[in-house]
Amino acid sequence: MRGPLGAVLERYPLSDGTTEDGGIIRHNRKCRDVAFLVIFIAFWVAMIVNSSFGFNQGNPLRLTYGLDYKGNVCGDKHAHPGLHQLELKYWLNPNQVYQSGVKDSQFELSNARSICLLDCPTPLEDSLSWVCDYPEGDMHLSMDDWIDRNYDYYEILTSEMKNASLQLQGPCYPVIFPSVNVYWSCQYIVRASNASLRHWKQMGGVDIEEDIIVDKSIHSFINSRSSVLKRYMADIGKAWPVLIVCGGLLPLFLSVVWLLMIRYFVAAMPWITVAFFNILIITVTVFYYLKAGWIGNDAISPIIGDHDPYIHVFGRELNHLRAAAILMTFIMVLSILTSIAIVRRILMGTSVLKVAAKVIGEVQALIIFPVIPFSILAIFYMVWISAALHLFSSGQVVQNNCNTNCCAYDLLSEKVNCDHCCGYSIRYTPHIAVAIFFHLFGCYWATKFFIACSSTVIAGSVASYYWTRGETLSEVPVLPVFDSMKRLIRYSLGSVALGSLIVSFVESIRFILESFRRKLKVAETTPDSWFGKMIAITGKSFCRSSAIATELIMNNILRLVRVNVIGDVILFLGKLFVSLSSAVFGFLVLDTHKYSSGHNKLSSPLLPVLVCWTLGYVVATLFFAVVEMSIDTLILSFCQDSEEHEGTAQFAPLLLMETLNEQNDMQRLTQ
C-alpha cells in the first residue's frame, strides 16, 4: 500500500516553506482530458446533423395515420386532394382484402385500394350503400360536398361508371361490412346485412359466410410489430403535455420538498420515504391491473370513438400491459420484502443523512443549484423527443413493386386503368436505423454528462466546505457552488465527458449483451460516481482520479460499507418515490377523457407512463445528488484527511467525526 496521499494530491508549499492546508482545493489546476472534450463537441455537432436529417425527412403524422392508394398520409392537408380531418384509412374493395389474406397469395394489403375518410361507413339494412373514390375529374364535387353526401355519388355516375362499379372496379364500391375505427383504420366486422350480401353475390364477391379472412387480414395489418411501434412513438407525441407536467414539473417540486424536509426533518424522512415508496409502487401495480382488464372493466380498447358494445377487438398493446402488470407484481413483492429487511437499519442511515443535512444548511445554494442542470436537460429533452419523432417517421414513401391484377376506374383518365395497381408503403433504409440508435445513445450520453457535471459541482462545493473548516470564516468561499461551477467549466469538462462516455458505453453494452452481465459485475464494486468526486476534489484527470478513488475505497472499504450502504438505499428509495409519483399522476392524467377517447386517444398508457417514470428518476437524481454527493464527498475527504494525518482527521466537522467513529459504528452494528 502506498504512503500518505500528500504527493498525489499536490499540496503546494507557501512562501515560508510550510504546506498550505486546504490546498487540495485551491492548488493550481490544469485542463484535463481536453481531447475528450473535443470529441464531445464533435458528438454534439453529429447529433445536430442527425436531428436535422429527421426534421427534413420525417413526418410524425405517418406514425399515427396510414397511406391511401396514392401514397398520401391521411390527415395531411398538403396532400392532393387535401385530406385535412380525413384521418381514417378505409379499404374500398373487400375482394382485395380477402385476396391479401389467402394463404400463398401474392397480393398484399398495401396494394389494396384504400382512401382516407372522416368516419367509418356503415351498410344499410334495406338497401345498398356506396363509398366512392375521391371526387376528381368531371365529378364537379368538392371534398366537403363528397363528405356531406357520405362519400356517395353513385347516382350521378355515367352508365359506364356504374357498370364498372358493379364489377367492383370503382369509382364507387358497395359497403358490405360494418367497420369500426381501430387505431385510425376501419376494421371490418364480418356481420353483413341480408341486402348487402345479396348484392355482393350478384357482383361476384367472395363467399364470406364461412370465412372471416377479410376480418383477419386487416387485423393482422393493424397489429403488426412495426404498426405497434409507430403507435407507441405517436403516443409520446400526443402525451407531450403530460410529460412536461408529470415528468418534469412534478418531480421538480417533489424533489425540492424532499430536500427541504431532509434539511428540517431528517430523523423522520427515512421512515416517510420507505412508507410512501411502498404505497406508490402498490398504486402503480394496481393501475396496470386496471388497464390490463384484470381488475374492473377499465381495460384499454383499440377502438376509437363510440361503437357497438358487442364488438370486441384486441390488440398487442393489451398483451404488453398484462406483461407489465406481471413484472410490476414481482417488483412490488421484492420491494416490500426489501423495505421490511432494512427497517431495523434505518437508524444507521439517519445518522449519515444528518451530516448531509448540516452541509445543506451551511451551503444553502446547494438546494437551488440543481435547477440549472434541470433547465438545461428540460430544453434538451424537448428538442430530442421532437427529433426522435421525426427520425422514427423519416422513411421514404415509395410505390410497391407488384404484378397483381387490380384494375380500377381512373376518374382523371375516365377509363378503367390496370397500369398503376401497386399501392404505397413507407420504406426504411438501414441508415435510418443507425441514425435512431445514434440518437438514443446520444440521449443517454448527454444525460450522463449533465448529471456528472451537476454531481461534480456539488462535490466540489462540499469539498470546499470540508477542507476550509480549519480556517477562519473569512477564507471560506462566499459562494462555493459558483466557485465549483467555474472550476468545472475551466478545468474538468473533458474529464467529465470521458467518464460519462465510458459509463454510457459500458452500460449500453451491458444492456444489449445481457449474457455478459456477470462478467461485468466486477465494475459494480466501485461506483462510477466516486470518480467524479475525486475529479472535483483533486482536479486530476479521469483516469488519475479513478486510481485515487479506488485506492481510497480499498483502504477504507469496511468504514464505507458500514456507514454508507443504508444511506444509499434510503436515497435510492427516495428517487423511486419521486419517479413513482410521476408515474401515478401520469396514469391519472392519461386516464381522462382527453387521452382515452377521441382525437388524442393513446394506443396505450404504457410508454408515456414509463417515460414519466424515467424523467422523474432523472430529475430526482439531479436533486438527490445534493444529499448523495454531500455524503460521499465528505466520506472520501474524511478518508483522505485521515491518511494525511496518520489516522486522525483534522478538518472533519464534529458531527461527521461522531458518525464515522469506528467504536460508535461497532456499537450501532451490534445493536
Side-chain angles (χ1 to χ4, degrees):
M1 182 177 66
R2 225 179 358 92
L5 296 176
V8 176
L9 299 177
E10 299 182 18
R11 293 180 182 274
Y12 292 91
L14 299 174
S15 57
D16 59 359
T18 60
T19 300
E20 179 188 18
D21 289 330
I24 187 172
I25 299 298
R26 294 194 298 264
H27 70 257
N28 295 327
R29 293 172 178 250
K30 298 179 181 179
C31 292
R32 309 288 185 178
D33 301 313
V34 178
F36 291 96
L37 180 59
V38 175
I39 293 175
F40 187 68
I41 295 174
F43 156 78
W44 272 96
V45 173
M47 280 282 288
I48 294 173
V49 173
N50 192 52
S51 299
S52 300
F53 166 78
F55 285 118
N56 290 330
Q57 301 295 326
N59 181 4
L61 286 177
R62 300 173 187 168
L63 299 174
T64 301
Y65 310 114
L67 302 177
D68 67 4
Y69 72 93
K70 295 184 175 184
N72 298 317
V73 180
C74 293
D76 188 357
K77 63 181 179 181
H78 301 295
H80 181 74
L83 301 176
H84 181 59
Q85 294 185 340
L86 303 180
E87 300 169 337
L88 276 67
K89 181 175 182 176
Y90 177 71
W91 285 272
L92 286 167
N93 193 342
N95 259 7
Q96 292 181 341
V97 178
Y98 177 89
Q99 188 179 353
S100 68
V102 174
K103 187 178 181 180
D104 300 327
S105 173
Q106 300 298 317
F107 189 84
E108 296 182 0
L109 188 61
S110 58
N111 295 320
R113 200 168 186 83
S114 59
I115 61 174
C116 302
L117 302 181
L118 184 63
D119 48 22
C120 293
T122 303
L124 301 177
E125 289 295 332
D126 54 355
S127 62
L128 188 64
S129 59
W130 300 83
V131 169
C132 302
D133 204 343
Y134 299 129
E136 297 178 305
D138 294 333
M139 296 312 303
H140 304 297
L141 284 177
S142 66
M143 293 292 286
D144 290 337
D145 291 337
W146 176 63
I147 295 173
D148 291 339
R149 296 174 66 99
N150 203 22
Y151 327 112
D152 181 7
Y153 50 76
Y154 177 81
E155 61 183 23
I156 64 175
L157 293 178
T158 64
S159 298
E160 181 184 359
M161 292 180 183
K162 288 183 178 179
N163 184 54
S165 298
L166 291 172
Q167 297 178 31
L168 301 178
Q169 293 179 340
C172 295
Y173 297 83
V175 181
I176 304 301
F177 308 108
S179 56
V180 64
N181 181 358
V182 176
Y183 297 137
W184 309 105
S185 295
C186 292
Q187 168 74 61
Y188 285 157
I189 306 297
V190 186
R191 195 177 60 190
S193 65
N194 292 330
S196 297
L197 278 178
R198 184 173 64 255
H199 287 93
W200 178 248
K201 291 179 180 179
Q202 292 173 355
M203 296 177 187
V206 297
D207 186 4
I208 52 90
E209 292 180 329
E210 298 179 358
D211 206 320
I212 57 172
I213 291 179
V214 287
D215 185 299
K216 290 183 177 179
S217 181
I218 298 178
H219 186 75
S220 299
F221 175 84
I222 294 175
N223 283 287
S224 65
R225 288 185 175 87
S226 61
S227 298
V228 173
L229 178 59
K230 291 176 184 178
R231 288 199 292 269
Y232 278 148
M233 291 304 301
D235 289 342
I236 298 298
K238 294 178 182 178
W240 65 266
V242 181
L243 301 185
I244 292 176
V245 175
C246 298
L249 299 180
L250 178 64
L252 168 67
F253 172 76
L254 292 177
S255 298
V256 172
V257 170
W258 197 90
L259 286 180
L260 291 175
M261 293 188 70
I262 278 287
R263 171 69 180 90
Y264 296 104
F265 308 101
V266 63
M269 278 310 296
W271 302 99
I272 295 175
T273 300
V274 172
F276 273 92
F277 162 72
N278 285 286
I279 293 173
L280 287 170
I281 199 168
I282 293 173
T283 304
V284 171
T285 305
V286 170
F287 268 121
Y288 276 115
Y289 272 78
L290 287 170
K291 290 304 174 183
W294 288 340
I295 298 179
N297 298 312
D298 198 26
I300 63 167
S301 170
I303 301 176
I304 299 175
D306 298 330
H307 64 280
D308 188 335
Y310 295 100
I311 295 176
H312 299 285
V313 180
F314 296 93
R316 286 180 182 267
E317 287 83 354
L318 186 61
N319 295 331
H320 295 166
L321 270 177
R322 289 174 176 175
I326 294 173
L327 177 61
M328 283 302 302
T329 302
F330 284 107
I331 296 175
M332 178 187 67
V333 173
L334 181 62
S335 301
I336 293 175
L337 293 177
T338 303
S339 301
I340 294 174
I342 68 170
V343 165
R344 296 181 61 185
R345 299 179 178 269
I346 284 181
L347 291 177
M348 187 184 299
T350 303
S351 63
V352 180
L353 294 176
K354 287 180 179 179
V355 177
K358 181 175 177 60
V359 176
I360 295 173
E362 298 197 21
V363 189
Q364 297 180 2
L366 285 175
I367 298 180
I368 304 174
F369 164 73
V371 174
I372 298 176
F374 167 83
S375 302
I376 296 174
L377 267 178
I379 296 173
F380 169 75
Y381 281 146
M382 286 189 287
V383 176
W384 184 90
I385 290 176
S386 178
L389 293 175
H390 283 81
L391 277 173
F392 269 89
S393 61
S394 58
Q396 185 179 5
V397 178
V398 296
Q399 191 169 23
N400 302 328
N401 294 321
C402 63
N403 297 314
T404 55
N405 181 14
C406 56
C407 300
Y409 195 93
D410 189 342
L411 284 170
L412 295 177
S413 62
E414 298 184 356
K415 64 179 181 179
V416 175
N417 192 335
C418 301
D419 297 332
H420 302 287
C421 294
C422 301
Y424 286 80
S425 300
I426 300 176
R427 181 176 300 169
Y428 296 93
T429 56
H431 78 275
I432 295 179
V434 174
I436 291 174
F437 279 112
F438 178 80
H439 197 66
L440 293 173
F441 178 78
C443 177
Y444 193 69
W445 187 12
T447 301
K448 286 287 185 181
F449 176 81
F450 289 124
I451 292 177
C453 286
S454 176
S455 300
T456 303
V457 170
I458 295 170
S461 306
V462 177
S464 298
Y465 164 83
Y466 181 96
W467 291 100
T468 54
R469 296 300 296 170
E471 301 179 4
T472 60
L473 212 57
S474 60
E475 296 180 73
V476 178
V478 178
L479 296 174
V481 174
F482 292 101
D483 289 343
S484 183
M485 289 175 61
K486 289 189 293 184
R487 289 195 297 270
L488 168 70
I489 296 172
R490 186 172 181 181
Y491 302 114
S492 303
L493 283 179
S495 299
V496 174
L498 172 58
S500 58
L501 174 61
I502 292 176
V503 172
S504 301
F505 182 76
V506 171
E507 292 187 358
S508 298
I509 294 297
R510 290 177 62 192
F511 178 77
I512 298 172
L513 305 176
E514 189 68 23
S515 60
F516 291 97
R517 179 178 292 274
R518 292 184 180 181
K519 296 182 180 180
L520 295 175
K521 274 196 173 181
V522 177
E524 297 177 357
T525 58
T526 305
D528 57 273
S529 57
W530 294 104
F531 306 147
K533 302 175 186 68
M534 291 310 301
I535 292 172
I537 295 173
T538 66
K540 299 295 183 182
S541 67
F542 174 79
C543 296
R544 189 59 172 154
S545 298
S546 302
I548 297 173
T550 301
E551 182 165 352
L552 275 175
I553 292 171
M554 297 307 297
N555 292 345
N556 299 272
I557 188 67
L558 187 60
R559 175 180 291 168
L560 293 176
V561 170
R562 281 205 306 260
V563 174
N564 203 36
V565 170
I566 299 300
D568 283 345
V569 171
I570 297 299
L571 291 171
F572 177 67
L573 293 181
K575 296 176 189 177
L576 290 180
F577 157 71
V578 172
S579 58
L580 284 169
S581 299
S582 302
V584 169
F585 279 91
F587 257 126
L588 292 173
V589 176
L590 294 176
D591 199 35
T592 58
H593 179 75
K594 179 179 180 180
Y595 296 104
S596 60
S597 63
H599 182 78
N600 290 320
K601 177 182 170 66
L602 303 183
S603 65
S604 170
L606 179 60
L607 192 56
V609 167
L610 289 178
V611 172
C612 286
W613 191 336
T614 303
L615 293 177
Y617 190 85
V618 171
V619 174
T621 299
L622 288 174
F623 282 85
F624 282 47
V626 173
V627 177
E628 192 172 17
M629 298 299 290
S630 297
I631 295 172
D632 294 345
T633 303
L634 287 173
I635 292 175
L636 273 180
S637 298
F638 181 88
C639 294
Q640 278 181 209
D641 195 6
S642 298
E643 292 202 12
E644 286 288 331
H645 299 92
E646 299 180 353
T648 303
Q650 299 294 317
F651 293 88
L654 180 61
L655 181 58
L656 182 64
M657 291 284 290
E658 294 175 353
T659 303
L660 296 179
N661 183 273
E662 293 187 6
Q663 183 177 358
N664 290 344
D665 282 343
M666 290 303 297
Q667 291 176 355
R668 196 178 295 114
L669 284 173
T670 302
Q671 294 173 356

